[in-house]
Amino acid sequence: MSSHPFTERSISGSKKAESFTESVIREMTRLCQIHGGINLAQGFPDFPAPDEIKEAAVAAIRADVNQYAITWGAKSLRDAIAENYNRVYGMDVDPERELVVCCGSTEAMVSAMLGVVDPGDEVVVFEPFYENYGPDAILSGAVPRYVTLHEPDWRLDPDELAAAFNDRTRAIIINTPNNPTGKVFTREELSQVAALCQKWGVVAITDEIYEHILYEGEHIPLASLDGMRERTVTINSLSKTYSLTGWRVGWALAPPVLSDAIRKVHDFLTVGAAAPLQEAGVVALGFPDEYYRQLSVDYRARRDILLPALEEAGFSCYKPNGAYYVMTDISRFGFPDDVSFSRHLIEKIGVAVVPGSSFYHRPEDGARKVRFTFCKREETLRAAADKLAALKPS
Ligand code: PLP
């Protein structure tokens, strides 16, 4: 053995990495595979992606689009994304200066946080929140300031929101339609956010990956509100709209001063997203309006299978207006907490869910909740409903 003076020093992960746990959602997927259950935990479809997009990916690989794309995204895909924002929302997007194609919206979000936020800056986060935002804050050194969305309709209290802003606030993260609640933020709520961002000089980072999965209300891009385009980072991806969660192609839309920063972070984190899949994304973004209308129709049908089955089995449900999740209250089952109940569901009933505590910074706030996803074939949802009927509410 070497007698080098440093050999005594113990090996460990960084303090950053030690300050968050592995993803509960993805852990549930692994547990589900071990127990052979039905996975209503992680939000990935168990039905095929559209053939035209898959064919386009194959064609791109055959055409030898197999080397690095431009780091901030293939020109063809950036043009298609810009055109799409113009067609759907009438927004003017400069594909040369304002877009950064990333490895899914997951990387777009962390690149945006690292590119916009300095250690010690405060970032406002609505709670319950998509679990990635916690580690994203830690990785960027941000101090999260939580603002509660109040049950049963996940209402935003304007005074509580205003109280979360101060001169240390650098950014706010919004996710609409929302995971896990299914809330779709109204124009009035978004205007309150916009007014505070403008008052305090704050950047809004808005995750809009469920923009086309809507049952009630309308999706309003935060960047489309007066005075917000120049202070908003809009995050989106192919994952949910085109059922391509494994492709890892997403993007950030931001004014040049912010996209320059995000591009640099993105370049050194990943260099770029998969080149042939970016070409196939051009085909996806060119789909006609009917595709998006049908997407919501199909998800509404799936929601309307799962919701009554859950109510029947003894859950109290928060009916989602968008996205593809249902938050439920599990009080009637008499378990000590969400984690023991979720374990029982996987091991004894054969259905995987996500414990509610993974959406709250204080686990006790989610201890009476679990989240189901319904981005599954109707027969998968019916099979899950049959299994859940074996539960015994008290
Ligand atoms: N943002 C939200 C709100 C999500 O629910 C998810 C996935 O479930 C993601 C981001 C991850 O998206 P992507 O596959 O584009 O990284």
Side-chain angles (χ1 to χ4, degrees), residues 87 124 160 188 240 339 349-350:
R87 187 169 62 85
V124 178
E160 289 173 5
E188 195 189 346
K240 310 293 175 170
V339 175
I349 304 291

Side-chain angles (χ1 to χ4, degrees), residues 25-26 41-44 102-109 129-133 136 174-180 207-210 235-240 244-251 323-325 359 371:
I25 299 179
R26 295 179 277 283
Q42 196 175 357
F44 61 83
C102 293
C103 300
S105 59
T106 300
E107 193 239 320
M109 176 59 79
F129 51 83
Y130 172 55
E131 65 161 0
N132 278 32
Y133 303 155
D136 288 344
I174 299 125
N175 169 219
T176 181
N178 185 259
N179 171 11
D207 177 340
E208 303 187 357
I209 68 168
Y210 297 103
I235 282 171
N236 213 318
S237 88
L238 300 181
S239 289
K240 310 293 175 170
L244 295 167
T245 61
W247 279 25
R248 316 308 306 131
V249 178
W251 55 88
Y324 48 48
Y325 304 97
F359 305 105
R371 188 202 74 178

Side-chain angles (χ1 to χ4, degrees), residues 16-65:
K16 265 187 196 151
E18 275 172 9
S19 60
F20 52 88
T21 55
E22 76 164 318
S23 156
V24 177
I25 299 179
R26 295 179 277 283
E27 184 194 351
M28 287 298 142
T29 290
R30 277 197 303 280
L31 269 180
C32 187
Q33 281 163 356
I34 292 169
H35 292 282
I38 297 177
N39 188 353
L40 300 190
Q42 196 175 357
F44 61 83
D46 68 347
F47 44 84
D51 281 337
E52 301 92 304
I53 315 179
K54 292 187 287 196
E55 291 306 327
V58 172
I61 291 172
R62 290 227 163 90
D64 244 327
V65 184

Side-chain angles (χ1 to χ4, degrees), residues 26-145:
R26 295 179 277 283
E27 184 194 351
M28 287 298 142
T29 290
R30 277 197 303 280
L31 269 180
C32 187
Q33 281 163 356
I34 292 169
H35 292 282
I38 297 177
N39 188 353
L40 300 190
Q42 196 175 357
F44 61 83
D46 68 347
F47 44 84
D51 281 337
E52 301 92 304
I53 315 179
K54 292 187 287 196
E55 291 306 327
V58 172
I61 291 172
R62 290 227 163 90
D64 244 327
V65 184
N66 292 313
Q67 311 309 328
Y68 302 123
I70 295 171
T71 179
W72 51 82
K75 177 164 170 46
S76 53
L77 180 60
R78 283 182 285 116
D79 287 348
I81 295 168
E83 226 173 277
N84 201 262
Y85 275 112
N86 191 269
R87 187 169 62 85
V88 181
Y89 301 114
M91 283 164 63
D92 259 337
V93 170
D94 177 355
E96 298 308 324
R97 302 290 313 280
E98 297 186 306
L99 286 169
V100 193
V101 175
C102 293
C103 300
S105 59
T106 300
E107 193 239 320
M109 176 59 79
V110 78
S111 294
M113 293 280 281
L114 289 165
V116 167
V117 173
D118 283 312
D121 288 345
E122 292 190 6
V123 172
V124 178
V125 179
F126 292 107
E127 189 173 51
F129 51 83
Y130 172 55
E131 65 161 0
N132 278 32
Y133 303 155
D136 288 344
I138 293 168
L139 289 171
S140 58
V143 179
R145 286 286 300 256

Side-chain angles (χ1 to χ4, degrees), residues 148-158 160 183 189:
T148 305
L149 297 173
H150 294 280
E151 300 162 46
D153 54 356
W154 310 105
R155 188 181 47 80
L156 175 60
D157 179 324
E160 289 173 5
K183 175 185 174 70
E189 290 170 328

